[in-house]
């Protein structure tokens, strides 16, 4: 019986994906009566999978689910110490995952999305704004979806793309097989004016949004975040049933403004903060509920052990920083620590150590090579990335393989034609210990304080003391590295003088379909 018990223990770590080869092997093993009378069928199936995996030398590819929320900061989570915001499901994931505690995105959404997709700094792929045409991801850029697809994955995006709204920039032409998205940077901005489902134009789209599904528009029913998760779950389940490894990118538009949610989610917070902030927290609570549904579905389908589940956000908090900011300075669209530091939790029960904290400096563009590394995929030949795989840190957070580096952060979003005036504003250079930061400049306002400051971020995470005069050599080296990087990026900012479409192509396509064939109702998937 000890032998049987050991087999059961081993099977906990064996990914089960039924194939014709494993079924035939299972039948062959069952013919051996001395085994079949002693070992249950389910164990024999596991043994056949183990022997096939060992014989072929190939590991079964893990599923990958990346969930990224919009405008939720590092501190907007219960597990990060928030005094009253409740996020029990994300907190559960936090306990089961590797946590990257010094992970930085960009201070605004489209730049972060471009870095995730490309593995490169946003400026290097043409993204310098959240508005068209400067939010376009450079054509010809190899995306992580394309790389995973070339390594055998089916790929899907659900929610917010925000890297170009013309057809050639859309995700179906950038490596995604399944596309279920709203247009532009905010869901309300991509909804037809004539179809406003609620009074007051700014409310449109959060309930019953019109969305683009594989090239055609549908009218959905329900709250936008619920709809994105439901569509993603239905698509994932179909791939589980077909034994296809998948990459699901769920990029919610919540809790982006305007702050609209069913009152049942916001009411617990209304006596603790103002109405808009309560709604902001309610949107996060709704996302947390959907995370619970996602996690329970993964368990129900039997794919938990061999599914990589990732949770992160795209930039600092847009609304919650005044309530609680985990001791950081800054928020969304600001160059300080709170503008770009975000949560990153990665769970893979079969391979990764639960509850491990990695406190080394990591960036959004590191996820591209990390996902390829985790899935044993190959990068396209000759592709050069700014990011590097975080897998060595997952094995040993103190590994010497992870060398320190200067990384560069810029809010961007300068007014058209004003780029050069923003070179020394709204930027930061960050390495493991130091943070060099330019002054915050909003649009065309005049800078009252033009000082570039240096912080010992390891010993002063709240950025209270400028130490540039105490460490002039560090100041000079970091500033020089930034100036070199800026010059390198200048010719790659290809959208600075690009022409924007006169009309919103997303809405033009909607109106054309409405006139010719109508807008069908969305079919809610089963999962």
């Amino acid at each position: 019986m000890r032998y049987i018990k050991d087999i059961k223990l081993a099977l906990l770590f064996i990914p089960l994906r039924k194939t014709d080869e494993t079924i035939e092997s299972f039948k062959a093993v069952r013919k051996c009566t001395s085994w079949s009378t002693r070992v249950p069928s389910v164990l024999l199936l596991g043994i056949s999978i183990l022997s096939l995996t060992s014989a072929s030398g190939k590991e079964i590819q893990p599923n990958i689910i990346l969930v990224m929320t919009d405008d939720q900061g590092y501190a907007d989570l219960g597990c990060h110490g928030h005094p009253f915001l409740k996020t029990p499901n994300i907190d559960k994931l936090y306990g089961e995952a590797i946590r990257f505690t010094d992970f930085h995105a960009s201070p605004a959404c489209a730049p972060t999305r471009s870095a995730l997709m490309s593995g490169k700094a946003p400026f290097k792929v043409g993204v310098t704004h959240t508005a068209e045409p400067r939010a376009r991801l450079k054509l010809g850029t190899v995306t992580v979806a394309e790389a995973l697809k070339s390594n055998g994955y089916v790929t899907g995006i659900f929610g917010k793309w925000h890297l170009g709204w013309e057809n050639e920039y859309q995700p179906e032409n950038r490596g995604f097989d399944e596309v279920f998205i709203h247009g532009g940077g905010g869901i309300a901005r991509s909804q037809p004016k004539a179809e406003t489902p609620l009074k007051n134009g700014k409310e449109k789209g959060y309930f019953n949004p019109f969305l683009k599904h594989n090239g055609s528009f549908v009218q959905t029913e329900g709250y936008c975040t619920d709809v994105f998760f439901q569509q993603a779950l239905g698509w994932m389940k179909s791939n589980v049933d077909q034994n296809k490894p998948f990459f699901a990118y769920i990029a919610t538009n919540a809790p982006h403004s305007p702050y609209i949610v069913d009152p049942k989610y916001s009411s617990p917070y209304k006596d603790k903060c103002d109405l808009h902030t309560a709604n902001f927290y309610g949107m996060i609570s709704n996302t947390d509920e959907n995370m619970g549904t996602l996690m329970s579905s993964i368990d129900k389908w039997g794919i938990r052990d061999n599914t990589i589940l990732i949770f992160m956000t795209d930039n600092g908090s847009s609304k919650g920083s005044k309530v609680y900011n985990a001791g950081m300075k800054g928020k969304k669209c600001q160059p300080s620590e709170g503008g770009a530091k975000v949560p990153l939790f990665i769970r893979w029960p079969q391979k990764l150590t639960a509850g491990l904290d990695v406190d080394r400096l990591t960036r959004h563009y590191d996820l591209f090579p990390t996902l390829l590394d985790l899935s044993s995929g190959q990068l396209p030949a000759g592709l050069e990335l700014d990011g590097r795989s975080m897998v060595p840190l997952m094995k040993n957070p103190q590994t010497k393989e992870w060398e320190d580096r200067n990384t560069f952060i810029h809010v961007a979003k300068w007014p058209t034609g004003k780029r050069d005036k923003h070179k020394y504003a709204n930027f930061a250079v960050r390495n493991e210990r130091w943070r060099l930061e330019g002054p915050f400049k909003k649009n065309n306002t005049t800078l009252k304080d033009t000082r570039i400051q240096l912080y010992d971020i390891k010993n002063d995470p709240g950025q209270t003391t400028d130490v540039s005069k105490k460490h002039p050599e560090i100041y000079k080296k970091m500033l020089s590295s930034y100036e070199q990087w800026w010059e390198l990026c200048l010719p790659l900012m290809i959208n600075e003088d690009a022409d924007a479409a006169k009309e919103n192509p997303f809405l033009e396509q909607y109106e054309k379909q409405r006139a010719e064939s109508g807008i069908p109702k969305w079919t809610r998937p089963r999962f």
Side-chain angles (χ1 to χ4, degrees):
M1 291 302 295
R2 173 56 190 264
Y3 183 68
I4 300 298
K5 186 182 295 184
D6 289 343
I7 292 173
K8 287 182 178 179
L9 180 62
L11 287 175
L12 293 175
F13 301 94
I14 297 172
L16 297 181
R17 190 184 299 278
K18 185 172 63 177
T19 65
D20 292 340
E21 185 179 10
T22 57
I23 293 298
E24 291 306 311
S25 298
F26 170 71
K27 290 177 179 177
V29 174
R30 285 290 292 168
K31 290 179 180 179
C32 177
T33 56
S34 61
W35 277 73
S36 61
T37 54
R38 291 165 52 198
V39 185
S41 299
V42 64
L43 297 186
L44 286 171
L45 179 57
I47 292 168
S48 71
I49 292 173
L50 178 62
S51 62
L52 285 169
T53 302
S54 301
S56 66
K58 294 181 180 179
E59 293 188 16
I60 296 173
Q61 292 171 298
N63 304 304
I64 303 170
I65 305 170
L66 170 57
V67 178
M68 183 169 72
T69 63
D70 194 350
D71 286 0
Q72 179 179 0
Y74 177 90
D76 298 326
L77 289 168
C79 53
H80 281 171
H82 198 283
F84 57 80
L85 175 61
K86 304 299 182 184
T87 53
N89 295 299
I90 299 174
D91 294 354
K92 179 182 178 183
L93 176 62
Y94 171 90
E96 299 172 344
I98 289 181
R99 296 85 65 113
F100 288 80
T101 62
D102 200 11
F103 178 74
H104 294 252
S106 292
C109 45
T112 289
R113 293 161 207 280
S114 71
L116 282 181
M117 287 296 108
S118 70
K120 298 180 181 182
F123 288 180
K124 294 184 179 180
V125 290
V127 177
T128 62
H129 210 296
T130 59
E132 289 286 332
R134 287 165 49 197
R136 295 171 179 165
L137 178 65
K138 178 184 174 183
L139 295 177
T141 300
V142 176
T143 68
V144 66
E146 290 172 320
L148 289 169
K149 189 173 179 177
S150 70
N151 281 281
Y153 280 82
V154 288
T155 57
I157 177 174
F158 308 87
K160 181 173 177 176
W161 170 242
H162 198 193
L163 292 173
W165 58 16
E166 290 90 347
N167 282 339
E168 61 267 33
Y169 293 93
Q170 288 282 282
E172 59 264 32
N173 296 313
R174 313 307 292 266
F176 285 97
D177 299 306
E178 176 78 4
V179 176
F180 190 74
I181 59 170
H182 68 78
I187 195 168
R189 298 168 191 164
S190 63
Q191 297 299 297
K193 294 180 180 179
E195 304 288 352
T196 304
L198 298 177
K199 64 180 181 180
N200 300 328
K202 72 176 184 178
E203 294 182 336
K204 62 185 178 182
Y206 279 78
F207 291 90
N208 310 325
F210 290 86
L211 301 173
K212 187 176 171 184
H213 184 204
N214 295 335
S216 298
F217 285 86
V218 294
Q219 181 172 15
T220 64
E221 182 179 359
Y223 186 64
C224 53
T225 304
D226 300 338
V227 168
F228 291 135
F229 270 89
Q230 288 165 12
Q231 184 69 25
L233 285 163
W235 178 80
M236 285 186 273
K237 181 60 166 61
S238 69
N239 287 303
V240 171
D241 291 344
Q242 298 174 69
N243 307 301
K244 294 180 179 179
F246 61 80
F247 168 55
Y249 174 36
I250 306 173
T252 69
N253 64 290
H256 192 289
S257 65
Y259 306 114
I260 299 168
V261 72
D262 190 306
K264 71 178 182 180
Y265 296 105
S266 57
S267 60
Y269 308 116
K270 287 183 177 178
D271 62 344
K272 298 177 173 64
C273 53
D274 65 77
L275 177 60
H276 286 310
T277 305
N279 286 342
F280 172 78
Y281 289 142
M283 295 167 88
I284 294 172
S285 292
N286 170 265
T287 300
D288 182 79
E289 181 178 272
N290 278 287
M291 284 295 295
T293 302
L294 169 63
M295 292 162 70
S296 64
S297 297
I298 291 171
D299 292 346
K300 181 175 67 175
W301 300 335
I303 63 170
R304 183 181 190 274
D305 285 346
N306 201 37
T307 295
I308 300 170
L309 177 58
I310 303 168
F311 176 84
M312 64 175 290
T313 70
D314 68 342
N315 47 244
S317 184
S318 64
K319 199 65 181 174
S321 59
K322 290 184 178 180
V323 175
Y324 175 71
N325 209 28
M328 296 182 295
K329 173 186 175 183
K331 62 178 184 177
K332 174 187 176 179
C333 290
Q334 293 183 1
S336 299
E337 193 84 347
K341 183 176 178 179
V342 298
L344 175 64
F345 310 147
I346 302 180
R347 185 187 81 176
W348 187 9
Q350 190 180 80
K351 296 285 187 179
L352 302 180
T353 304
L356 182 68
D357 286 327
V358 176
D359 65 355
R360 308 286 284 277
L361 174 65
T362 49
R363 294 298 309 276
H364 45 15
Y365 44 60
D366 293 326
L367 272 169
F368 185 132
T370 299
L371 294 182
L372 268 290
D373 197 355
L374 287 172
S375 61
S376 301
Q378 298 295 317
L379 286 172
L383 181 63
E384 295 183 0
L385 303 178
D386 288 329
R388 57 195 191 192
S389 173
M390 297 183 286
V391 169
L393 293 175
M394 298 180 189
K395 296 177 181 177
N396 175 15
Q398 303 307 317
T399 180
K400 293 182 180 179
E401 291 183 46
W402 191 265
E403 296 181 359
D404 197 8
R405 57 182 170 167
N406 283 336
T407 69
F408 307 97
I409 296 168
H410 204 294
V411 173
K413 298 187 69 173
W414 50 76
T416 301
K418 303 293 184 181
R419 177 184 62 192
D420 294 345
K421 292 185 177 181
H422 284 70
K423 177 179 179 179
Y424 293 108
N426 296 341
F427 83 93
V429 183
R430 180 72 154 75
N431 58 37
E432 294 285 354
R433 180 175 176 182
W434 305 100
R435 183 181 186 91
L436 184 75
E437 185 173 298
F440 173 55
K441 176 179 172 64
K442 186 175 182 180
N443 296 330
N444 287 312
T445 57
T446 301
L447 284 173
K448 295 180 180 179
D449 185 352
T450 59
R451 291 178 301 166
I452 297 173
Q453 301 186 348
L454 178 70
Y455 299 98
D456 182 351
I457 205 70
K458 283 295 183 185
N459 297 304
D460 180 22
Q463 298 179 245
T464 62
T465 306
D466 176 14
V467 294
S468 56
K469 292 182 179 179
K470 290 184 179 180
H471 302 280
E473 290 304 313
I474 293 171
Y475 178 96
K476 291 177 183 178
K477 287 181 180 179
M478 294 184 76
L479 182 58
S480 176
S481 71
Y482 169 69
E483 290 171 335
Q484 293 175 41
W485 177 80
W486 177 270
E487 293 301 318
L488 176 66
C489 290
L490 283 178
L492 303 175
M493 300 180 192
I494 60 171
N495 294 319
E496 292 304 288
D497 300 318
D499 293 327
K502 293 181 180 180
E503 300 293 335
N504 183 331
F506 206 81
L507 293 182
E508 281 188 331
Q509 184 179 345
Y510 167 86
E511 293 296 346
K512 185 174 186 292
Q513 180 184 323
R514 185 169 71 93
E516 293 179 355
S517 59
I519 308 297
K521 298 289 186 181
W522 170 59
T523 301
R524 192 183 304 273
R526 294 183 178 182
F527 54 86

